């Protein structure tokens, strides 16, 4: 059943759905700000009041997404896309009344009541990068870790972040829309690999004699291939 899928008509490989949050965008604060203003046509509020249909809590937050990437290693456009998906472009009641643009703690059946409240959207963005990505979904030892890509109900953030099986696909669709409208600077920038084996040893160097730092015991995690090293003792 694919009625709610964003990728249903002619299913295709979605690069953005498998791109780990542990990546960097090629876009700048100005690029993101221009996209919000000129493509999405988002506007700010006056004295905390929405005056037009396009008023959004995301307006004027571009620098926070980019700063969060520098500080906490979470791809700024991935985080922005996730927030668009979770906050209805910054116009949900949780975003408006609680400055929460990521649906943090908005559990099914009591979403508004349980959702975390923040002093401002800036705090929401930084908390997401620091607490939810850096020390959560991108941290191998965390119970939510199934890979830091958006994913689906088998791997990635979608496993624990949302009950909607198409959540990862929808967030990825927002990333695609941004990249498409800005020159496709991020598409296939990184070479991705999927490790369909369990118990992957992460070592301090490219040799079986190097120290094992930790072991990833989940299958199907997506990684970024930075370089390949050849030799007689690099396996394992």
């Amino acid at each position: 059943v694919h009625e709610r899928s964003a990728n249903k008509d002619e299913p295709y490989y979605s690069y953005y759905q498998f791109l780990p949050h542990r990546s960097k965008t090629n876009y700048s604060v100005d690029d993101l700000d221009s996209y919000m203003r000129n493509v999405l046509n988002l506007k700010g509020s006056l004295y905390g009041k929405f005056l037009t249909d396009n008023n959004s809590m995301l307006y004027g937050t571009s620098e926070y997404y980019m700063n969060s990437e520098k500080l906490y290693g979470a791809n700024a456009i991935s985080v922005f896309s996730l927030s668009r998906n979770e906050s209805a472009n910054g116009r949900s009641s949780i975003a408006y009344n609680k400055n929460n643009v990521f649906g943090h703690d908005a559990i099914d059946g009591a979403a508004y009541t349980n959702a975390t409240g923040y002093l401002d959207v800036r705090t929401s963005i930084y908390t997401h990068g620091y607490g939810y990505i850096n020390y959560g979904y991108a941290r191998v030892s965390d119970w939510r870790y199934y890979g830091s890509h958006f994913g689906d109900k088998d791997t990635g953030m979608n496993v624990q972040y949302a009950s909607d099986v198409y959540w990862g696909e929808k967030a990825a669709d927002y990333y695609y829309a941004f990249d498409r409208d800005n020159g496709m600077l991020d598409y296939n920038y990184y070479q991705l690999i999927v490790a369909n084996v369990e118990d992957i040893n992460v070592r301090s160097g490219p040799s079986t004699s190097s120290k094992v730092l930790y072991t990833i015991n989940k299958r199907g995690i997506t990684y970024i291939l930075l370089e390949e090293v050849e030799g007689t003792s690099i396996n394992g």
Side-chain angles (χ1 to χ4, degrees), residues 139-154:
R139 188 173 186 172
V140 174
S141 60
D142 191 275
W143 63 274
R144 294 164 290 187
Y145 180 80
Y146 286 82
S148 68
H149 53 291
F150 288 136
D152 48 35
K153 274 306 187 182
D154 187 42

Side-chain angles (χ1 to χ4, degrees), residues 43-226:
K43 300 182 185 300
S45 59
L46 182 63
Y47 305 118
K49 302 294 183 181
F50 282 168
L51 300 180
T52 72
D53 290 340
N54 287 336
N55 280 121
S56 169
M57 298 302 289
L58 300 182
Y59 180 86
T61 61
S62 301
E63 64 177 302
Y64 307 137
Y65 288 100
M66 293 299 175
N67 286 343
S68 181
E69 176 181 293
K70 294 176 183 178
L71 291 169
Y72 310 123
N75 184 303
I77 307 304
S78 290
V79 174
F80 171 65
S81 301
L82 192 162
S83 67
R84 286 191 66 192
N85 186 47
E86 283 290 333
S87 70
N89 268 341
R91 291 193 52 79
S92 70
S93 59
I94 293 175
Y96 179 60
N97 295 316
K98 295 193 172 187
N99 294 312
N100 180 349
V101 295
F102 298 97
H104 292 158
D105 294 322
I107 63 174
D108 291 347
Y112 185 85
T113 301
N114 279 16
T116 303
Y118 293 104
L119 178 64
D120 48 38
V121 176
R122 171 183 175 274
T123 305
S124 176
I125 294 171
Y126 286 166
T127 298
H128 184 81
Y130 177 78
Y132 282 79
I133 301 299
N134 194 37
Y135 280 97
Y137 291 91
R139 188 173 186 172
V140 174
S141 60
D142 191 275
W143 63 274
R144 294 164 290 187
Y145 180 80
Y146 286 82
S148 68
H149 53 291
F150 288 136
D152 48 35
K153 274 306 187 182
D154 187 42
T155 65
M157 292 175 63
N158 198 165
V159 175
Q160 296 291 345
Y161 202 104
S163 58
D164 181 2
V165 297
Y166 301 118
W167 176 90
E169 189 179 305
K170 293 172 181 176
D173 198 45
Y174 281 118
Y175 200 142
Y176 163 69
F178 175 89
D179 208 13
R180 176 199 63 206
D181 293 336
N182 287 279
M184 300 295 282
L185 299 183
D186 281 357
Y187 182 67
N188 279 342
Y189 181 78
Y190 293 101
Q191 181 176 345
L192 307 183
I193 59 173
V194 178
N196 284 314
V197 295
E198 295 181 354
D199 298 328
I200 298 175
N201 290 325
V202 178
R203 299 178 180 272
S204 59
S207 168
T208 52
S209 62
S210 299
K211 179 182 178 180
V212 175
L213 302 177
Y214 54 87
T215 299
I216 300 175
N217 60 4
K218 292 183 174 67
R219 184 186 299 269
I221 304 298
T222 303
Y223 303 93
I224 293 173
L225 180 63
L226 298 178

